[in-house]
Amino acid sequence: MGTAEATRSLADLNPTVVFVLGGPGSGKGTQCANIVQHFGFTHLSAGDLLRAERNSGSENGTMISNMIKEGQIVPAEVTIKLLERAMLESGNDKFLIDGFPRNEENRAAFEAVTKIVPSFVLFFDCSEEEMEMRLLSRNQGREDDNVETIRKRFKVDAGRPIEEVFESVKGIFSPKNEKAD
Ligand SMILES: Nc1ncnc2c1ncn2[C@@H]1O[C@H](COP(=O)(O)OP(=O)(O)O)[C@@H](O)[C@H]1O
Ligand SMILES: O=c1ccn([C@@H]2O[C@H](COP(=O)(O)OP(=O)(O)O)[C@@H](O)[C@H]2O)c(=O)[nH]1
Ligand SMILES: [Mg+2]
């Protein structure tokens, strides 16, 4: 099914969507499993969908693999296509979207493409120390659960020179995360 067709049927479905966000290891996946049990939502982890796409041998597989290893964000259109497909295939109309959007570009693209406005955002706040400890003992064989990748995934490292920190800060404030020169 093409994206336009998928988007039409999704708009007809008028689904309830909750974005579940928080740092790596904050417990998004764990709490989503509980919410599914208690409230009948379908849990869609953007990271799980990307890992499945990578493993399926798709043309985007190598790109996805490299982005995940580096803790970088896969282009929105790739992730949105996977989310649309999973929503349509589920047969449900209530979704927890876990780990997406990862940035403002992701959020804007999702709303523009799907026309879905999320009901609310559930944000799990957790210290980096606790998140790092949890990730290092997650034991799911993930190649990004190592100290090097974990540190890359944590927000802005402010223990660097002023100019370098501002390079990261600019990325957060500029639309589409482009460099604002
Ligand atoms: N509240 C908690 N206290 C202790 N460990 C937790 C808690 N929530 C989740 N975990 C554990 O931390 C690890 C990361 O949880 P996960 O749900 O995969 O986080 P996320 O999806 O946000 O990265 C898992 O091994 C999980 O069992
Ligand atoms: O919308 C998304 C979600 C995940 N990822 C990639 O997948 C990795 C793992 O994400 P996941 O949500 O599975 O990690 P968790 O927060 O559960 O540790 C991220 O670091 C990104 O590289 C991405 O590019 N876009
Ligand atoms: Mg997760």
Side-chain angles (χ1 to χ4, degrees):
M1 183 180 282
T3 302
E5 207 181 320
T7 303
R8 258 198 311 281
S9 349
L10 264 182
D12 294 342
L13 189 63
N14 191 22
T16 300
V17 164
V18 174
F19 285 151
V20 182
L21 301 180
S26 58
K28 302 179 297 293
T30 304
Q31 296 303 331
C32 281
N34 288 332
I35 299 167
V36 166
Q37 290 298 315
H38 284 76
F39 301 104
F41 278 73
T42 292
H43 173 208
L44 300 178
S45 158
D48 286 352
L49 290 169
L50 288 167
R51 283 184 286 273
E53 179 72 0
R54 173 198 62 191
N55 295 342
S56 76
S58 90
E59 53 176 347
N60 286 324
T62 310
M63 179 274 290
I64 294 172
S65 181
N66 290 335
M67 299 296 253
I68 290 178
K69 252 183 251 155
E70 289 303 314
Q72 291 179 2
I73 312 302
V74 171
E77 77 245 28
V78 173
T79 315
I80 290 168
K81 252 182 225 159
L82 297 174
L83 286 168
E84 285 185 320
R85 190 166 73 197
M87 282 193 271
L88 285 168
E89 282 174 2
S90 74
N92 201 350
D93 65 353
K94 296 196 293 185
F95 303 98
L96 300 168
I97 299 195
D98 158 9
F100 178 97
R102 228 78 182 188
N103 56 29
E104 171 56 20
E105 185 212 3
N106 280 182
R107 187 206 62 78
F110 180 84
E111 291 194 17
V113 172
T114 67
K115 314 291 180 214
I116 296 170
V117 177
S119 302
F120 59 91
V121 177
L122 180 56
F123 181 79
F124 290 115
D125 197 8
C126 189
S127 72
E128 287 186 12
E129 193 187 13
E130 172 71 17
M131 291 193 288
E132 183 169 312
M133 201 177 67
R134 289 181 188 177
L135 292 177
L136 291 176
S137 50
R138 179 151 59 179
N139 280 329
Q140 291 177 356
R142 280 177 50 169
E143 58 194 341
D144 54 351
D145 283 346
N146 60 78
V147 170
E148 216 193 2
T149 308
I150 288 170
R151 300 246 160 107
K152 284 185 189 160
R153 299 183 64 199
F154 286 158
K155 305 175 231 172
V156 174
D157 173 9
R160 294 172 295 150
I162 293 173
E163 294 75 20
E164 283 184 29
V165 174
F166 190 56
E167 278 306 305
S168 304
V169 170
K170 276 198 294 194
I172 293 167
F173 280 85
S174 0
K176 299 190 179 177
N177 278 0
E178 62 203 3
K179 283 200 183 134
D181 287 325

